[in-house]
Amino acid sequence: MRHYGSFVALGDSFTEGLNDPSSDGRFRGWADRVAERLALDDPSFRYANLAVRGKLLDQIVADQVPLAVEMSPDLVSLCAGGNDLLRPGSDPDVMAKTLAGAVRALRATGADVLLFTGVDPRDTPLMRRLRGRFAVYYLHIRSIADLYGCRLVDQWSMQGLRDWRAWSEDRLHMNADGHRLVAARVLDVLGVPFDDWHKVWPERAVDPRARRREDAQWIREHLVPWMSRRLRGVSSGDGVAPKRPELSHWTG
């Protein structure tokens, strides 16, 4: 296991920590949970989180990656592209080339880089139609991880994230349980002792008719407004600053 004295997290809402609220009113999320655990092994541990909700891959590469390169941390996480894949006309092959360039720049600093596949969208209404697009991009990410010696966090294989009890009402962002599972998987990939990420949820009966009503309500109240904002060029991250813009000592 490599010792990590500093960690910079890059990405969108997933890495910012939506919807995992902390006691101070901010979002916590898997990255903060990982930083908290790494800080236990090093009192001088430093952490920055540059992720901002709603950001696209090009924005993350242009705005966040250069800052991470300047910070020159021991560990960088980069999870980007999910918002792009939901947009009409997105090309996972082109996206992969952009991601690979960012990874090369980060690896050139000597940092270990964490990459992520996403969760299989087959259980999500409408999004399941884009499953092939997601799968191609995630295969590219696997290839990039191999080519550049990155550590891969494979969420596609995490069955515990296939249950809606790991997600908030909008089904687009994980809740505290989901973020806890991802943090456990990240730390397992890093070889750091932590909780088990192999979550098995208790069985529960689901009325198919109730599920269909819930799906319709979700599409009406969450998915359609989200897609409308994207088509109008409006992002939930407009005017939002990173929650931890400086690489500073972990204080919780």
Side-chain angles (χ1 to χ4, degrees):
M1 182 186 73
R2 177 178 174 181
H3 171 77
Y4 296 107
S6 53
F7 169 36
V8 175
L10 312 178
D12 52 27
S13 58
F14 169 65
T15 302
E16 184 185 347
L18 276 66
N19 285 322
D20 179 13
S22 63
S23 58
D24 62 4
R26 297 190 302 176
F27 288 116
R28 189 181 183 192
W30 69 265
D32 283 16
R33 293 172 180 272
V34 168
E36 182 178 39
R37 173 60 186 87
L38 294 177
L40 292 177
D41 296 330
D42 184 352
S44 63
F45 175 81
R46 296 177 300 150
Y47 170 56
N49 190 320
L50 308 181
V52 175
R53 66 198 73 172
K55 293 302 181 183
L56 301 171
L57 174 61
D58 285 345
Q59 294 172 315
I60 293 167
V61 170
D63 299 337
Q64 299 177 25
V65 170
L67 295 176
V69 169
E70 290 180 8
M71 292 176 182
S72 192
D74 298 331
L75 176 67
V76 179
S77 67
L78 175 57
C79 185
N83 291 318
D84 300 73
L85 291 169
L86 291 171
R87 293 194 171 206
S90 62
D91 187 333
D93 297 327
V94 174
M95 291 169 58
K97 291 181 180 179
T98 301
L99 182 69
V103 170
R104 283 196 299 270
L106 293 169
R107 288 290 287 149
T109 68
D112 275 3
V113 174
L114 277 167
L115 296 179
F116 296 74
T117 70
V119 178
D120 186 349
R122 70 180 181 180
D123 299 318
T124 307
L126 297 185
M127 289 174 62
R128 67 170 64 98
R129 299 179 183 178
L130 303 176
R131 192 183 185 206
R133 182 187 297 177
F134 279 88
V136 168
Y137 183 57
Y138 296 153
L139 283 172
H140 277 305
I141 290 176
R142 284 183 166 277
S143 177
I144 292 168
D146 285 343
L147 285 170
Y148 297 104
C150 303
R151 297 177 182 269
L152 181 68
V153 180
D154 183 13
Q155 296 183 90
W156 191 283
S157 68
M158 294 181 65
Q159 295 301 303
L161 296 180
R162 293 273 311 280
D163 194 291
W164 289 124
R165 284 170 283 188
W167 297 79
S168 55
E169 288 185 359
D170 66 10
R171 301 188 186 179
L172 298 171
H173 302 102
M174 296 176 189
N175 58 25
D177 288 324
H179 280 283
R180 190 178 300 110
L181 290 175
V182 173
R185 184 66 185 271
V186 170
L187 289 164
D188 181 62
V189 168
L190 295 177
V192 179
F194 197 63
D195 296 336
D196 185 10
W197 57 268
H198 296 85
K199 175 74 173 181
V200 178
W201 294 93
E203 290 288 339
R204 65 172 179 174
V206 178
D207 183 341
R209 291 171 298 179
R211 171 56 63 86
R212 287 193 291 270
R213 288 195 298 269
E214 291 173 359
D215 288 346
Q217 182 179 4
W218 171 74
I219 292 172
R220 183 175 62 254
E221 296 182 0
H222 296 285
L223 184 61
V224 170
W226 186 92
M227 295 179 67
S228 176
R229 289 196 302 272
R230 293 298 177 272
L231 292 173
R232 290 183 286 113
V234 177
S235 171
S236 57
D238 291 343
V240 177
K243 64 180 183 180
R244 293 178 180 268
E246 306 293 335
L247 188 58
S248 56
H249 289 111
W250 171 260
T251 57

